[in-house]
Amino acid sequence: MSIDLTETSITEAVQRTFDGAEDERVKELFICLVQHLHDFTREVRLTGAEWFKVMDFLERVGKICNPTRQEYVLLSDILGLSVLVDLIHHPGIGSVTDSTLLGPFYVEGRPTAENGSDISGGVAGTPLFFNGRVLDPEGNAVAGARVDTWHSDGEGFYDVQMPERLHGRLAMRALLTTDDEGRFWYRSVAPRYYPVPTDGPCGEILRAANRSPMRPEHLHFWLHAEGFEPLITMLVRRDDPYVDRDAVFGVRRSLVVDFVQRDAGETAPDGTRMDEPFQTVERTFVLARTERALPH
């Protein structure tokens, strides 16, 4: 019955429209979504004027999205949804490296790079040398793992945020491959803390809540290897002023590391005698095996 509905009966009426869904998971998702959405609306007694504001907000979120800016991803991030999905499926058990959210600045088609390369793309900044290693849960090297890495510059901007300055080039991101010992390494520039974009609809939420838009200094990684679960993670600077108040809730204690400050005149990890201060970061990543690759 879908006529003469009441405040309470409309929920079941809408849910019944999904009875014919061939995909049981689709049916489950929409029935639950309708239930919670209707319950929320009844609980807060949403007004017509507020509903119009919500529709306008969602329309503006969509309009500001483009290939290098995903405002819907940012909305998911600042509401904690992105990290919640990750925590449900990757609760952080055993020796496997903790995962966290992807963030809105990952880019397909990033350049490949040889280990030891300078991936800064010519961006000026404090030199940073990263040395990583990828292992399985038993401590064995994972050779041939593909490692995406990307980060901001020393002013907190990603390459896609400054296309005019970089003339459309990608910088501070690359795809590397681990060697026979599971190692990968590169040179770049040190990143910096930065605010998430606040010039769009998501910024309105942060200002309305009087929330900080800041993210702590970090490096992103996305690791893939045959026989292992993909790992999306990041490393956060231990002494960053925003380490305990990330605007998108992405910091996990196990992912906080030292960005070691080195003096001019010291030798960098690649053997270069540096004539300016630089930073070094080291980290071992442990991947989880896929179910079909688990040892018997």
Side-chain angles (χ1 to χ4, degrees):
M1 186 68 175
S2 58
I3 60 174
D4 294 329
L5 297 173
T6 67
E7 177 184 314
T8 54
S9 67
I10 188 174
T11 301
E12 185 179 353
V14 176
Q15 290 173 321
R16 283 199 302 269
T17 66
F18 294 98
D19 287 346
E22 296 183 2
D23 189 315
E24 285 299 315
R25 180 60 172 168
V26 169
K27 178 179 178 180
E28 177 187 16
L29 290 173
F30 276 98
I31 286 177
C32 287
L33 174 63
V34 169
Q35 185 70 55
H36 291 292
L37 185 60
H38 286 211
D39 285 345
F40 165 80
T41 303
R42 283 186 285 261
E43 179 182 347
V44 302
R45 311 308 297 173
L46 194 70
T47 68
E50 290 167 338
W51 178 88
F52 274 111
K53 285 185 178 180
V54 171
M55 295 303 106
D56 175 69
F57 177 86
L58 294 175
E59 181 181 2
R60 288 187 289 114
V61 169
K63 285 181 176 178
I64 204 171
C65 290
N66 59 51
T68 58
R69 174 163 181 176
Q70 291 299 324
E71 193 79 358
Y72 274 114
V73 173
L74 180 57
L75 179 60
S76 173
D77 291 349
I78 66 172
L79 294 180
L81 178 60
S82 304
V83 169
L84 175 58
V85 171
D86 182 63
L87 290 172
I88 290 171
H89 298 285
H90 304 97
I93 299 175
S95 62
V96 173
T97 299
D98 283 334
S99 61
T100 188
L101 78 174
L102 179 66
F105 294 114
Y106 171 75
V107 173
E108 297 279 0
R110 65 286 188 230
T112 58
E114 297 293 328
N115 283 313
S117 298
D118 183 348
I119 70 167
S120 69
V123 173
T126 300
L128 178 139
F129 294 84
F130 183 86
N131 280 275
R133 195 176 187 203
V134 183
L135 304 178
D136 67 17
E138 292 72 49
N140 302 305
V142 179
R146 291 164 295 140
V147 184
D148 267 294
T149 185
W150 67 102
H151 62 83
S152 76
D153 70 358
E155 297 178 352
F157 293 102
Y158 286 81
D159 49 5
V160 295
Q161 294 177 297
M162 43 185 177
E164 293 182 0
R165 190 168 121 197
L166 292 175
H167 305 289
R169 293 183 295 106
L170 295 178
M172 303 166 293
R173 67 176 74 237
L175 175 65
L176 300 103
T177 303
T178 58
D179 66 10
D180 290 343
E181 296 182 340
R183 300 184 183 278
F184 70 99
W185 61 99
Y186 62 86
R187 173 176 176 166
S188 190
V189 294
R192 187 170 175 80
Y193 51 76
Y194 61 85
V196 298
T198 59
D199 58 338
C202 290
E204 297 172 19
I205 293 178
L206 296 176
R207 287 188 290 275
N210 196 27
R211 278 176 53 181
S212 167
M214 301 303 294
R215 295 218 65 200
E217 182 177 324
H218 60 277
L219 304 169
H220 287 281
F221 299 89
W222 192 350
L223 299 92
H224 294 80
E226 186 69 29
F228 297 89
E229 296 290 343
L231 173 65
I232 296 172
T233 192
M234 69 179 187
L235 300 178
V236 181
R237 185 181 185 117
R238 190 180 308 278
D239 57 355
D240 189 279
Y242 301 101
V243 70
D244 60 350
R245 44 195 174 119
D246 182 10
V248 299
F249 312 100
V251 177
R252 303 182 77 165
R253 191 179 304 276
S254 66
L255 302 178
V256 177
V257 301
D258 293 316
F259 283 52
V260 181
Q261 185 68 40
R262 305 291 187 181
D263 295 326
E266 293 190 42
T267 301
D270 66 356
T272 303
R273 185 78 169 178
M274 300 296 292
D275 59 3
E276 61 181 318
F278 63 99
Q279 296 179 15
T280 59
V281 181
E282 296 183 358
R283 176 70 178 195
T284 295
F285 301 89
V286 180
L287 303 183
R289 296 187 183 279
T290 58
E291 291 187 6
R292 64 179 180 276
L294 292 174
H296 298 287

